[in-house]
């Protein structure tokens, strides 16, 4: 058989989905991952690249259409790399995600498949002719696709994006260029919780004067906003530098799920409000079943879950590496009169072992980032073997890897999916483990 080459057009039958939700086809012993193809479709595809044993392609023409193919809601899809599954019905998306988290009893859908995200980070870059681009990175690239709407967001971004562009132009503030590492503003982030919008401008200059941008925010959000400036001079892909300054607006607390709180821009907060509530309620019911007196939340963010659980246990402990989250968490506990929670700032790999040594029969909740549990955290669990481990995961691959380490000691009693991130290939899983007798 002649080898496939770039730009070649071939016909393919799509038999499955990859972890990213790409269509999968097989031809001449090669696995081809096809952007924009659905299971069950017959297509012609253009080869984009060929590697050893596999290749990538994109749909040219759909010859036999899946009945689960739908028209994307967003005009920037699929060019903008912000999400990936808008061409798929939500039913098909849930089926695909069930396949990602094998053995789950069910997958809890999101109340809304669009307009659910409470957070957004938009890179600001200099375009080829010096224009300002604000949007998302095209997949696997550092090229910003200029957008003024995102249908995943719970609030429109149109006025904010337009307002930032005109404010930058009027004040001669320049967009960042990665190539030359020059320019002033490199990112704008926002988080909308209840009726409060927190906006952060991330810039390369220590004392960039951004106070006048508050006027733009006031026109859009009235008094319900807070503006931060983050100084981030490094060549780096992470969104924020270390220094945050509160610039203007008000930092008032919002009431979420019965808890008054402020969330720092650097701190983690679950992005889908309705799914977060359902997931936390499920975790609470699992913890109640154990009748445990102590609950440890490792990778706690500001410990929203731990605070909620603190009401039904004697003691809650929250371990978290982000100092801003710990500060916000302590403040949240104080504001809500929660006195039986202990906050520990640090790396779970370093801190968890000692905590497990001093508490008896806890439920241990771990909710790590996509990279999963580090070796030291896994060792701490294996050394002390708490009677229950509740693993909240946003990455089925690292979850499977970590469960392989723990399942010699534990029985898996519950596994449920939660669709925290509709229209993207990401999915949340909650797993309950009970120590073997
Ligand atoms: C997926 S979030 C979960 C937050 C929280 N459980 C919630 O639901 O709001 C993961 C958190 O782990 C924190 N983190 C990442 N690496 C860590 C480490 N090595 N030790 C402790 N916390 C860590 C992050 O800062 C983030 O707040």
């Amino acid at each position: 058989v002649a080898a496939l080459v770039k730009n070649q057009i071939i016909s393919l039958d799509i038999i499955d989905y990859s972890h990213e939700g790409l269509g999968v086809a097989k031809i001449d012993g090669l696995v081809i991952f096809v952007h924009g193809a659905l299971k069950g479709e017959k297509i012609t595809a253009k080869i984009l690249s060929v590697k050893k044993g596999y290749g990538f392609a994109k749909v040219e023409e759909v010859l036999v259409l899946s009945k689960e193919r739908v028209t994307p809601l967003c005009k920037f899809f699929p060019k903008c790399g912000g999400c990936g599954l808008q061409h798929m019905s939500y039913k098909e998306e849930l089926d695909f995600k069930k396949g990602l988290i094998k053995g789950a009893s069910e997958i809890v859908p999101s109340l809304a498949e669009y307009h659910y995200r409470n957070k957004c980070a938009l890179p600001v870059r200099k375009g080829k002719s010096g224009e300002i681009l604000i949007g998302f990175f095209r997949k696997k690239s550092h090229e910003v696709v200029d957008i003024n709407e995102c249908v995943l967001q719970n609030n429109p971004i149109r006025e904010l994006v337009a307002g930032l562009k005109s404010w930058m132009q009027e004040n001669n503030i320049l967009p960042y260029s990665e190539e030359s590492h020059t320019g002033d503003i490199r990112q704008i982030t926002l988080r909308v919780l209840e009726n409060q919008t927190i906006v952060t401008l991330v810039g390369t200059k220590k004392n960039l004067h951004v106070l006048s941008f508050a006027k733009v925010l006031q026109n859009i959000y009235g008094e319900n906003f807070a503006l931060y400036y983050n100084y981030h001079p490094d060549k780096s892909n992470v969104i924020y530098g270390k220094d945050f300054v509160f610039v203007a607006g008000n930092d008032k607390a919002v009431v979420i799920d019965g808890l008054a709180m402020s969330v720092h821009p650097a701190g983690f907060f679950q992005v889908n409000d309705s799914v977060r509530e359902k997931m936390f309620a499920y975790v609470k019911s699992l913890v109640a079943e154990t009748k445990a007196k102590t609950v440890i939340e490792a990778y706690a963010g500001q410990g929203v879950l731990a605070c909620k659980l603190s009401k039904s246990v004697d003691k809650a402990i929250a371990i978290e590496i982000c100092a801003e989250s710990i500060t916000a968490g302590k403040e949240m506990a104080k504001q809500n009169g929660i006195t039986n929670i202990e906050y520990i700032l640090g790396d779970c790999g370093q801190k968890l072992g000692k905590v497990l040594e001093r508490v008896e029969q806890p439920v241990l909740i771990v909710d790590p980032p996509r990279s999963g549990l580090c070796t030291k955290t896994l060792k701490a669990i294996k050394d002390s073997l708490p009677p229950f481990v509740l693993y909240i995961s946003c990455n089925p691959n690292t979850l499977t890897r970590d469960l392989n380490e723990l399942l010699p000691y534990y029985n898996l009693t519950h596994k449920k999916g939660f669709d925290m991130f509709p229209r993207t290939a990401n999915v949340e899983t909650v797993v309950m483990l009970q120590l073997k007798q």
Side-chain angles (χ1 to χ4, degrees), residues 3-65:
L4 293 176
V5 289
K6 192 174 165 171
N7 292 333
Q8 189 178 342
I9 308 283
I10 52 169
S11 33
L12 294 171
D13 289 321
I14 306 299
I15 52 170
D16 205 351
Y17 292 115
S18 72
H19 289 292
E20 289 92 33
L22 306 187
V24 173
K26 285 193 180 149
I27 184 166
D28 301 339
L30 283 182
V31 178
I32 310 286
F33 299 105
V34 191
H35 293 271
L38 298 185
K39 197 157 99 177
E41 288 186 334
K42 265 185 196 308
I43 59 162
T44 57
K46 187 188 225 172
I47 297 290
L48 300 173
S49 63
V50 183
K51 317 258 184 268
K52 220 182 156 137
Y54 67 98
F56 288 93
K58 68 172 183 186
V59 174
E60 275 290 295
E61 195 184 344
V62 183
L63 305 174
V64 176
L65 203 74

Side-chain angles (χ1 to χ4, degrees), residues 103-332:
S105 57
E106 63 170 310
I107 171 158
V108 176
S110 177
L111 201 61
E113 62 193 83
Y114 286 107
H115 304 296
Y116 64 86
R117 271 188 78 93
N118 60 32
K119 189 190 111 173
C120 172
L122 301 166
V124 179
R125 292 291 183 275
K126 185 170 144 192
K128 288 207 175 69
S129 19
E131 77 277 25
I132 305 170
L133 302 177
I134 301 177
F136 287 107
F137 291 119
R138 194 192 280 262
K139 276 227 161 61
K140 301 211 158 62
S141 101
H142 278 210
E143 185 192 327
V144 167
V145 180
D146 198 41
I147 62 167
N148 58 9
E149 100 179 340
C150 172
V151 295
L152 299 198
Q153 294 305 312
N154 63 3
N155 272 278
I157 57 167
R158 185 182 297 271
E159 285 180 88
L160 182 66
V161 165
L164 177 59
K165 282 186 181 169
S166 355
W167 174 80
M168 287 174 70
Q169 279 154 355
E170 280 157 24
N171 294 283
N172 201 21
I173 289 171
L174 300 176
Y176 182 63
S177 153
E178 257 176 60
E179 279 156 30
S180 57
H181 193 54
T182 56
D184 306 309
I185 297 280
R186 55 197 287 169
Q187 193 95 220
I188 180 168
T189 71
L190 73 152
R191 189 183 266 139
V192 188
L193 295 175
E194 299 301 314
N195 64 351
Q196 170 80 343
T197 300
I198 296 164
V199 173
T200 305
L201 290 175
V202 184
T204 57
K205 307 271 155 52
K206 176 100 184 146
N207 294 312
L208 190 70
H209 199 70
V210 300
L211 181 60
S212 57
F213 187 61
K215 198 89 210 119
V216 176
L217 297 181
Q218 204 173 21
N219 286 337
I220 306 173
Y221 306 111
E223 299 310 312
N224 300 322
F225 74 90
L227 171 62
Y228 283 81
Y229 178 66
N230 176 258
Y231 169 51
H232 186 9
D234 306 337
K235 282 191 182 170
S236 144
N237 285 338
V238 300
I239 293 177
Y240 295 123
K242 282 196 201 72
D243 286 1
F244 282 86
V245 191
F246 175 78
V247 179
N250 71 72
D251 224 354
K252 67 168 192 252
V254 288
V255 178
I256 294 172
D257 237 359
L259 287 172
M261 65 179 84
S262 298
V263 182
H264 191 276
F268 177 90
F269 197 80
Q270 301 284 356
V271 296
N272 183 329
D273 298 332
S274 76
V275 176
R276 180 197 61 239
E277 280 178 28
K278 284 185 193 157
M279 185 171 87
F280 283 2
Y282 180 61
V283 168
K284 197 171 174 195
S285 71
L286 292 179
V287 170
E289 273 178 37
T290 68
K291 304 205 162 45
K293 301 255 184 301
T294 310
V295 51
I296 302 166
E297 185 184 9
Y299 308 88
Q302 67 183 65
V304 176
L305 183 57
C307 275
K308 288 180 77 65
L309 297 172
S310 70
K311 293 173 185 159
S312 42
V313 292
D314 291 347
K315 183 168 175 134
I317 300 172
I319 312 172
E320 165 61 43
I321 205 165
C322 167
E324 287 87 353
S325 285
I326 291 284
T327 306
K330 286 182 174 167
E331 183 55 35
M332 172 174 66

